[in-house]
Every structure is written in structure tokens, then in C-alpha cells.
């Protein structure tokens, strides 16, 4: 085992897996190697020198490499991709794209002609090279003392068993599998098992409601669901299986059948295994994970898939309509997620890396599951919350596992900061080398607290700007390569070419502020919106032809550093969770007493943004607290508790233009208490509504 990692007890409820390296695996591995070199077209010529194997030391080194990545992206990323196993190499002209809707369909291709498998690269490759006994994941449960660990060999075994079970359910290449689990090691295992057989995973965050889960399973036609009896977050029980059952019923009532459900028995109230009391169970459809997988072999062939084979869908909120299934594919995502992980965090094989994100979001996909494992790191999986049982929990975990890189969200830092510095004092955090943040701009106060106190002033803070759609980091300070400025994500990663446009679509130069766009694709660009390529084209490439539209605004300073100013569309960022105003509005408007609802974000000291709902009631309905509660519950049941409004304002009406469009700018100002900055309201159909709204504010 890796020397820096303490040996941990197997948690109750995790399956027993053997830890020695069986000899059949060695022979199987060798045959893979042989077939790899014999099928690679370039195998008789000299192998190109892999690129980006060492960390970037200086701005000069970055400048030279960045220039190359923009001048010749195909050769640049081809050389980076040499570090991975490809069953068949990509074609010399592997990269093509069109970002201009006026010139035909939007498309992006990387590593065309190549065949690979991301699960093989994340697991088999390391086991084959003698690292099977190194820890792959460390598990920290909700309660201190409930913990566990799995080696790369153990993870590979369980992935294979699960992959074989899925095959037995008829799942194959291109089939979608839904995953609805808490943060246990079996969640990344489920993702890897899908990837192993070429199935497409769709992870649904465990905080989503039955309604939201049902909508996502229907959209991607998932016939198989991988879930869990439940989980604990602080003192709250999450009954995942009950919610999953409701979702499956909803699907059935609308004509979509989920045939097979595999239920991981998570330790619950100290009761282990399948006895997990009271879990609803449907014979014939449901099976318990542990005893079922024990019956399946721990060897499973890898499905070699083309580089552009779909890897996963992840639903995310936009400004309109229902959430979009963002589609990522295999080769480009693999290369980009692994390379950004390595360089953003100066990650070396064997390092204990802790990303606090849930696998239900893109950060968990790229920087808890795939990125760290592709780099043979040890990834920490934490089921609980940073304030349970005390606000010292994160720091205790860092000391316990000797975490080297710690990656979290500004909202978590702000909430810990408020609890007081004394919670840091019983821990040393000496193992830390790099700190990272993601999800929203980090305010300088939180940045300094993170840097000066948590990192004892020793560790660079890497503020990473990116999106579900981008698959990996886009703008970030590479540690120790150039100076940070608190609150700025600084400079683009290799191959990323940001452009700032004014609202007429004119490119701005030098110091400027405007809309943040991308001129060209990077390897993990989203390839489509699942089942709706038109929506993909309209949403991301329609607004300004020739560019990918991020939905964010940004400022560029005199040093060329980027400062993200926040969303310019109707997306709210609450504690780093992306929430579409339209989704919240339709959940509130579904209440029979609601005539109309409009939602805006406002500045919140801990969450970044809070949700402020303006609700117009139907004629004759008298506002009361019970109604508020019902509308609030509507949002919880249609989306999830994290999207429930902080404020419900009984509004006499909404500010609309003569053409009937809601003037959202005005709502945002009223929600934020900035009524002196309303701007021009003369085009409103009824300008007096603004005064009435200000007067009725709670
Ligand atoms: C915001 C999360 C400022 C931004 C990875 C973006 C940020 C949205 C940062 C994507 C950051 C993310 N600084 N803003 N470092 N990181 N954002 O899809 O508005 O959940 O468009 O992906 O979060 O959120 P998503």
C-alpha cells in the first residue's frame, strides 16, 4: 500500500474483495499489451515524445506551450494523448470542427479513427504496471470512524463484476444507465463499469427529487438503475431507494419501464448489508448489490470504443425549458480531464487527492472519479458534510489521510469561515500542497482565509473556472507558474481560446469587459445535447455564430487575466449549484393558486446567490404562510431541496414590457435591494408596478 496512506478497516456493508494480484490478471494484462502494440498503425515508427508530462514551471514555459496549442491543436493534443493507452491510434487528421451555425451543423471531433476505453486507462493500466495494491479510493463516512479503502485491484474487480451484471441485463454499447447514489465508493465504480462496456452513464445527484430523477431516466431511456438503500448527511437520513421507487412508478405511468434495479446496501443506523431495515424491495426487478455481484466473475473484457463514442450524459440547467442532457464523449474527455487534473493540482501518482464535490455534478465526474484515477492518485470519497459533527471535520480528514490536494467550493469555505478560526487550531494540515476552488467566483476574503489559514500561507490557491459543458478546467492559475490575484481565474489552459464580445458581437481587445466566448473547441467540449442537437446549436452557438457562448460575463485586465463576473443569462448559482430560473418558476406556477411567478438571484453572504421568487396569486386568493409552504414544497418535490426559494414575495404584478416580456433586470435589482439602480423603466407597460413591488417587499 502507498506508504503515506493509513490502513483502514473495511466499513460495514462494503463487499469483501480479495486484495492480492491474481496471476490470471497478469497474463490477461500482457495479452492486452501485445494486442495494443500490434494494432497501433504507428507501431513500427518511432513513438512521438509525449507532451505535458512535467509540471509547468514558469510563465515563459506556459506561453511557449500555449502558443503551440493554439497554432496546431491536432498535433499538440495528439502528443499529449500519447500518455494513454489506445487500442488503435487516431488518424493523422483526427481533429475537425465547425462552430459556425451559418456554415452547417455544429460538430466537434478529436482523435478520430482512434479506439480506447477510459476504464482501462483509469484502472487496468495501473494494475498491469504493478500498482494494483496501491489505494485507489479512501472512503470517509458520515460519522467519524466509519471509513474504508479500496485498492486499484479491488476496484477493478468490483467494476468487472458490475459490468458483467449489467451485460446480463442486456446492457451494451451505447445503452444508457442511470445512477442515483450517495457519495460511496460504489458511485465511481458504477460509472467506470458503464464505461468498461461502452454503456453511457447518467448520474443523477442524490439531492434530486423523484420527479427530477424520473424525467432524467425517461429522457435517456434508462432501463437499468444503480442505486442505494439510503445515506446519511449530517443528522438527516436520505431514503434514496424510496425516492427511486417513486421515480420508477412515475416513469411507468408515462410508458417508460425500468426493468432492473441494483441496490447497494449502504450501512444504515449501524445495520449492515441486505438487512438494512425497512428498504422497499420489488422482487423480480430489484437485486441487492453485494450478494448479487458476488455471483458474477471479476474479469470482464474491455469494450474498445471509438474516441467519439458517448461516455456520459449529465443534465444541467439552462435559462429556458427543462434541463439539458450534456453529452461528453470518450477520447477527448479522457485526455482533457486527466491532463487538467495533473497540471491544476500538480498531482503525482499515489498522491491523496480530495475533491469535495458530489459525483452528481461535473466536478465529481472529472475531478473525483476520472481525473484522479487516470493519474493513479488516491481519491477521497466523503459521504458527509463539512460541518458534521463539528466544523473541524474537513481539517481532521485532511490530517487523517494526509491529503495533498484539496479542491472545494467557495460557499463551503465561507460557511466554515463563519464558524470561526478556532476549528482549525486542533489540526496541522501540513500535508497540503495545492488548494483549489470551483463553482463560483471566490471573494478575496474567502481566498485569503483559504490561503493564509487553511494552507498556512504555503499552498497556491487554484481558482478554476469551467462548466458542465466544458468537461474540464478552462481558465485557472497553474500552481507556482505565475502569480495569482485573489478573485481572478487568471489565464486559459492549453488549447482554450477565450474571446470577449460586446453585446453586438464585436470582439473586444486588451482590457475590457463583456460576454465570455470560446473561439475553438478543446478536447472535452460538449458534443451535443442528448436527443436534441438543434437545442445544442441554438443554445451554445446560435447567439454569436462562430463562437461557443459560455453564458458568463468576464473582464480582462491589463495583464490578460480573466475575472468572471457571473452569469449573463437566467441561471442562478446557489452554493455552486446551477439552477435555471425557468425550472423554479414552473414548479411554483404548478400550484393552483399561483397566477404567475418570476425568480431572480440575489447576493447571499454564504451561498453566493439566493433564490428570490416573485409570486402573483390568482384573483381573490388571500396570501398566507401555508401557501408559501406549499409552493416551497412544490419546488422541493419537482427539483430538490437545494432549489427551494429563500424568499417568496407576494407580488401585485410583474414588470413587463408592452410586448409582454418580463423585465428581469428590474426584478434582480429589487431582489438585491438595489432599487436606486433600476435603470430605464419607461418601456414598461405599467411603470407604477415597480413602486408597488418595492413597497410590498418583505
Ligand atoms: C460558474 C461547475 C466563477 C460559472 C464546474 C459557470 C464559476 C457555472 C467558477 C458552471 C469560477 C464555475 N469562477 N464562476 N471559478 N466555476 N463558475 O456547470 O457561472 O455546475 O458558468 O460547472 O458556474 O456551473 P456548472
Amino acid at each position: 500500500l502507498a506508504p503515506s496512506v493509513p490502513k483502514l478497516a473495511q466499513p460495514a456493508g462494503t463487499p469483501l474483495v480479495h486484495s492480492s494480484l491474481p496471476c490470471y490478471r497478469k497474463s490477461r494484462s500482457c495479452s492486452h499489451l501485445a494486442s495494443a502494440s500490434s494494432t497501433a498503425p504507428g507501431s513500427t515508427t518511432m513513438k512521438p515524445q509525449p507532451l505535458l508530462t512535467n509540471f509547468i514551471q514558469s510563465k515563459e514555459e506556459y506561453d511557449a506551450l500555449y502558443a503551440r496549442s493554439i497554432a496546431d491543436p491536432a498535433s499538440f493534443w495528439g502528443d499529449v494523448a500519447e500518455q494513454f493507452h489506445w487500442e488503435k491510434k487516431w488518424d493523422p487528421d483526427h481533429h475537425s470542427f465547425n462552430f459556425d451555425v451559418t456554415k452547417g451543423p455544429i460538430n466537434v471531433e478529436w482523435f478520430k479513427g482512434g479506439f480506447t476505453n477510459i476504464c482501462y486507462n483509469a484502472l487496468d493500466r495501473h494494475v498491469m504496471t504493478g500498482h494494483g495494491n496501491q489505494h485507489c479510493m479512501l472512503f470517509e463516512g458520515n460519522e467519524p470512524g466509519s471509513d474504508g479503502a479500496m485498492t486499484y485491484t479491488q476496484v477493478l474487480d468490483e467494476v468487472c463484476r458490475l459490468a458483467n451484471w449489467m451485460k446480463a441485463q442486456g446492457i451494451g454499447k451505447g445503452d444508457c444507465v442511470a445512477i442515483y447514489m450517495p457519495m460511496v465508493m460504489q458511485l465511481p465504480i458504477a460509472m467506470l463499469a458503464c464505461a468498461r462496456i461502452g454503456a453511457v452513464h447518467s448520474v443523477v445527484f442524490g439531492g434530486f427529487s423523484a420527479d427530477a430523477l424520473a424525467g432524467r431516466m425517461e429522457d435517456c431511456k434508462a432501463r437499468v438503475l444503480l442505486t442505494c438503500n439510503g445515506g446519511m448527511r449530517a443528522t438527516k437520513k436520505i431514503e434514496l431507494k424510496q425516492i427511486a421507487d417513486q421515480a420508477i412508478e412515475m416513469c411507468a405511468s408515462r410508458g417508460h419501464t425500468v426493468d432492473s434495479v441494483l441496490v447497494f446496501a449502504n450501512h444504515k443506523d449501524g445495520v449492515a448489508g441486505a438487512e438494512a431495515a425497512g428498504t422497499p424491495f420489488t422482487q423480480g426487478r430489484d437485486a441487492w448489490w453485494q450478494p448479487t455481484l458476488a455471483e458474477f466473475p471479476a474479469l470482464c473484457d474491455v469494450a474498445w470504443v471509438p474516441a467519439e463514442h458517448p461516455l456520459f450524459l449529465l443534465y444541467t440547467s439552462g435559462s429556458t425549458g427543462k434541463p439539458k442532457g450534456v453529452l461528453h464523449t470518450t477520447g477527448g474527455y479522457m485526455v482533457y480531464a486527466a491532463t487538467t487534473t495533473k497540471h491544476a493540482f500538480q498531482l503525482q501518482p499515489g498522491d491523496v487527492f480530495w475533491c469535495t464535490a458530489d459525483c452528481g455534478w461535473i466536478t465529481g465526474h472529472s475531478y473525483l472519479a476520472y481525473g484522479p484515477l487516470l493519474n493513479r492518485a488516491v481519491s477521497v470519497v466523503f459521504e458527509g458534510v463539512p460541518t458534521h459533527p463539528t466544523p473541524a471535520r474537513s481539517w481532521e480528514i485532511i490530517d487523517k489521510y494526509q491529503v495533498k490536494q484539496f479542491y472545494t467550493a467557495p460557499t463551503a469555505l465561507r460557511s466554515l469561515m463563519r464558524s470561526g478560526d478556532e476549528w482549525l487550531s486542533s489540526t496541522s494540515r501540513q500535508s497540503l500542497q495545492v488548494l483549489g476552488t470551483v463553482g463560483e467566483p471566490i471573494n478575496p476574503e474567502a481566498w485569503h482565509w483559504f490561503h493564509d489559514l487553511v494552507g498556512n500561507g504555503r499552498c497556491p490557491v487554484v481558482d478554476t473556472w469551467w462548466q458542465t459543458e466544458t468537461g474540464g478546467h478552462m481558465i485557472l492559475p497553474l500552481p507556482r507558474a505565475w502569480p495569482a490575484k485573489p478573485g481572478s481565474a487568471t489565464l486559459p489552459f492549453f488549447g482554450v481560446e477565450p474571446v470577449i464580445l460586446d453585446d453586438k458581437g464585436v470582439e473586444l481587445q486588451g482590457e475590457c469587459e463583456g460576454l465570455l466566448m470560446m473561439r475553438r473547441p478543446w478536447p472535452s467540449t460538449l458534443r451535443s445535447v442528448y436527443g436534441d442537437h438543434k437545442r445544442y446549436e441554438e443554445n451554445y452557438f446560435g447567439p454569436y455564430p462562430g463562437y461557443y457562448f459560455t453564458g458568463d460575463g468576464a473582464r480582462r485586465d491589463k495583464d490578460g487575466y480573466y475575472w468572471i463576473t457571473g452569469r449573463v443569462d437566467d441561471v442562478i448559482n446557489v452554493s455552486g449549484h446551477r439552477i435555471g430560473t425557468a425550472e423554479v418558476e414552473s414548479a411554483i406556477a404548478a400550484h393552483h393558486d399561483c397566477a404567475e411567478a418570476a425568480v431572480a438571484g440575489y447576493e447571499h453572504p454564504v451561498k453566493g446567490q439566493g433564490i428570490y421568487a416573485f409570486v402573483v396569486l390568482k384573483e381573490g386568493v388571500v396570501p398566507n404562510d401555508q401557501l408559501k409552504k406549499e409552493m416551497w414544497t412544490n419546488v422541493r418535490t419537482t427539483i430538490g431541496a437545494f432549489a427551494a426559494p429563500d424568499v417568496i414575495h407576494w407580488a401585485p404584478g410583474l414588470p413587463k414590457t408592452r410586448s409582454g416580456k418580463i423585465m428581469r433586470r428590474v426584478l434582480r435589482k429589487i431582489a438585491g435591494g438595489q432599487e436606486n439602480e433600476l435603470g430605464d423603466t419607461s418601456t414598461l407597460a405599467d411603470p407604477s408596478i415597480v413602486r408597488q413591488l418595492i413597497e410590498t417587499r418583505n
Side-chain angles (χ1 to χ4, degrees):
L1 297 177
S4 60
V5 178
K7 196 166 172 1
L8 300 159
Q10 193 84 3
T14 52
L16 284 174
V17 276
H18 48 85
S19 59
S20 63
L21 184 70
C23 52
Y24 60 80
R25 187 178 304 290
K26 286 181 191 148
S27 61
R28 177 187 67 164
S29 304
C30 293
S31 73
H32 275 317
L33 266 186
S35 76
S37 54
S38 63
T39 52
S43 59
T44 51
T45 57
M46 262 221 330
K47 240 186 161 199
Q49 207 48 33
L51 197 59
L52 294 186
T53 50
N54 298 322
F55 302 140
I56 308 302
Q57 304 290 334
S58 67
K59 177 75 168 32
E60 291 67 41
E61 191 188 345
Y62 160 81
D63 284 339
L65 279 165
Y66 180 77
R68 193 188 146 193
S69 75
I70 298 298
D72 190 354
S75 95
F76 183 92
W77 287 110
D79 288 355
V80 175
E82 290 293 340
Q83 295 172 55
F84 301 86
H85 172 77
W86 294 80
E87 188 65 2
K88 179 178 175 296
K89 273 288 182 61
W90 51 90
D91 303 337
D93 60 342
H94 67 87
H95 172 49
S96 64
F97 76 102
N98 173 36
F99 261 22
D100 190 340
V101 265
T102 65
K103 297 195 173 125
I106 301 294
N107 76 293
V108 175
E109 270 181 330
W110 287 95
F111 308 113
K112 193 171 61 194
F115 280 73
T116 189
N117 183 288
I118 194 169
C119 173
Y120 182 87
N121 275 284
L123 301 177
D124 305 52
R125 199 164 51 116
H126 310 317
V127 172
M128 254 167 50
T129 49
H131 301 98
N133 287 344
Q134 183 201 298
H135 276 146
C136 172
M137 286 189 264
L138 299 175
F139 172 72
E140 176 75 7
N142 185 56
E143 297 305 326
S146 77
D147 52 23
M150 287 176 91
T151 65
Y152 271 92
T153 300
Q154 289 173 325
V155 170
L156 178 55
D157 282 359
E158 192 156 338
V159 161
C160 287
R161 292 180 198 277
L162 177 56
N164 283 323
W165 177 83
M166 287 194 282
K167 282 208 237 176
Q169 313 309 305
I171 296 295
K173 280 186 190 165
D175 292 330
C176 220
V177 173
I179 303 174
Y180 184 62
M181 297 182 86
M183 284 303 290
V184 291
M185 292 186 282
Q186 281 66 24
L187 173 45
I189 284 174
M191 296 160 66
L192 289 158
C194 291
R196 187 169 195 85
I197 58 173
V200 183
H201 57 76
S202 170
V203 182
V204 180
F205 169 55
F208 274 116
S209 65
D211 230 339
L213 172 61
R216 284 156 175 76
M217 288 198 292
E218 272 175 301
D219 187 69
C220 70
K221 298 168 201 71
R223 287 194 300 104
V224 167
L225 172 67
L226 306 175
T227 187
C228 188
N229 54 335
M232 290 293 290
R233 291 189 47 86
T235 51
K236 212 168 122 217
K237 267 187 209 169
I238 319 273
E239 301 285 359
L240 285 169
K241 179 58 168 49
Q242 269 177 28
I243 303 171
D245 280 359
Q246 286 168 18
I248 293 169
E249 259 174 51
M250 288 179 192
C251 287
S253 70
R254 300 191 287 243
H256 173 71
T257 312
V258 176
D259 303 319
S260 313
V261 182
L262 192 62
V263 191
F264 177 70
N266 195 13
H267 50 102
K268 184 184 167 192
D269 302 337
V271 182
E275 299 87 52
T279 304
F281 197 86
T282 304
Q283 290 298 339
R285 183 197 71 189
D286 299 351
W288 286 106
W289 182 296
Q290 288 94 325
T292 305
L293 294 195
E295 305 285 310
F296 282 82
L299 283 180
C300 173
D301 281 345
V302 166
W304 299 112
V305 294
E308 286 300 341
H309 185 73
L311 175 63
F312 66 85
L313 299 180
L314 192 55
Y315 287 83
T316 192
S317 296
S319 34
T320 53
K322 56 178 189 148
K324 304 180 282 267
V326 164
L327 176 72
H328 283 289
T329 57
T330 305
Y333 175 83
M334 171 177 84
V335 171
Y336 199 80
T339 308
T340 49
T341 311
K342 177 173 177 160
H343 289 273
F345 304 109
Q346 297 201 327
L347 186 72
Q348 285 173 328
D351 282 357
V352 179
F353 178 90
W354 183 18
C355 163
T356 65
D358 193 290
C359 277
W361 309 109
I362 190 69
T363 308
H365 280 60
S366 302
Y367 300 109
L368 188 146
Y370 289 117
L373 270 47
L374 286 162
N375 282 290
R376 192 169 43 86
V378 185
S379 193
V380 176
V381 180
F382 177 39
E383 192 187 358
V385 298
T387 46
H388 179 80
T390 72
R393 189 70 189 279
S394 304
W395 324 131
E396 288 162 1
I397 296 174
I398 288 169
D399 279 0
K400 174 176 175 184
Y401 295 114
Q402 294 292 290
V403 171
K404 281 197 179 169
Q405 296 89 356
F406 178 57
Y407 189 31
T408 193
T411 182
L413 294 174
R414 284 193 298 265
S415 110
L416 293 170
M417 226 169 116
R418 291 191 141 209
S419 315
D421 300 349
E422 63 270 25
W423 294 108
L424 285 159
S425 60
S426 60
T427 57
S428 85
R429 292 153 275 103
Q430 279 304 324
S431 57
L432 288 175
Q433 291 181 355
V434 179
L435 303 171
T437 68
V438 58
E440 51 175 321
I442 177 160
N443 48 313
E445 200 196 350
W447 192 99
H448 280 293
W449 190 76
F450 202 24
H451 179 267
D452 302 349
L453 274 81
V454 175
N456 296 319
R458 289 182 301 106
C459 311
V461 172
V462 183
D463 173 359
T464 62
W465 174 84
W466 59 295
Q467 310 178 293
T468 304
E469 291 86 344
T470 70
H473 301 149
M474 298 289 279
I475 303 181
L476 73 161
L478 291 182
R480 305 179 179 93
W482 56 83
K485 292 185 194 177
S488 169
T490 78
L491 300 172
F493 196 68
F494 303 110
V496 172
E497 198 181 2
V499 171
I500 295 189
L501 297 187
D502 69 11
D503 52 9
K504 298 193 180 59
V506 177
E507 278 192 26
L508 302 175
Q509 307 299 329
E511 277 181 74
C512 57
E513 181 167 340
L515 305 170
L516 181 64
M517 321 291 288
M518 297 293 151
R519 198 201 303 281
R520 61 170 79 236
W522 53 99
S524 60
T525 307
L526 78 161
R527 301 299 201 262
S528 194
V529 166
Y530 184 72
D532 199 346
H533 200 70
K534 193 154 176 281
R535 190 165 173 211
Y536 166 72
E537 297 185 325
E538 283 170 0
N539 205 78
Y540 300 105
F541 303 91
Y544 299 91
Y547 305 94
Y548 163 81
F549 178 39
T550 64
D552 278 315
R555 180 165 70 79
R556 190 165 48 215
D557 72 11
K558 63 176 183 356
D559 297 319
Y561 281 22
Y562 290 86
W563 300 73
I564 308 300
T565 54
R567 301 289 303 195
V568 295
D569 55 7
D570 294 316
V571 170
I572 307 179
N573 191 331
V574 182
S575 301
H577 297 158
R578 238 168 103 164
I579 298 167
T581 49
E583 286 169 70
V584 182
E585 286 162 5
S586 72
I588 297 175
H591 192 285
H592 49 78
D593 288 337
C594 174
E596 212 177 1
V599 161
Y602 70 99
E603 205 177 308
H604 187 284
V606 174
K607 299 200 269 188
Q609 278 191 301
I611 302 183
Y612 192 111
F614 295 86
V615 179
V616 184
L617 292 172
K618 283 188 183 152
E619 276 296 315
V621 177
V622 182
N624 60 59
D625 283 350
Q626 178 59 24
L627 269 182
K628 251 187 205 178
K629 206 167 156 214
E630 286 168 16
M631 292 183 181
W632 197 67
T633 307
N634 267 13
V635 180
R636 288 174 67 101
T637 53
T638 356
I639 307 173
F642 64 92
D646 299 272
V647 180
I648 290 184
H649 175 162
W650 302 124
L654 297 176
K656 289 186 183 167
T657 60
R658 281 183 205 98
S659 58
K661 203 168 170 303
I662 296 172
M663 205 182 264
R664 291 185 174 271
R665 170 174 59 82
V666 168
L667 293 180
R668 281 195 285 266
K669 295 289 179 194
I670 295 176
Q674 300 153 296
E675 52 259 28
N676 298 330
E677 304 166 27
L678 290 176
D680 180 15
T681 52
S682 61
T683 56
L684 286 175
D686 171 14
S688 76
I689 194 70
V690 175
R691 182 87 351 247
Q692 294 178 47
L693 281 171
I694 294 169
E695 281 165 10
T696 51
R697 205 172 56 195
N698 323 34

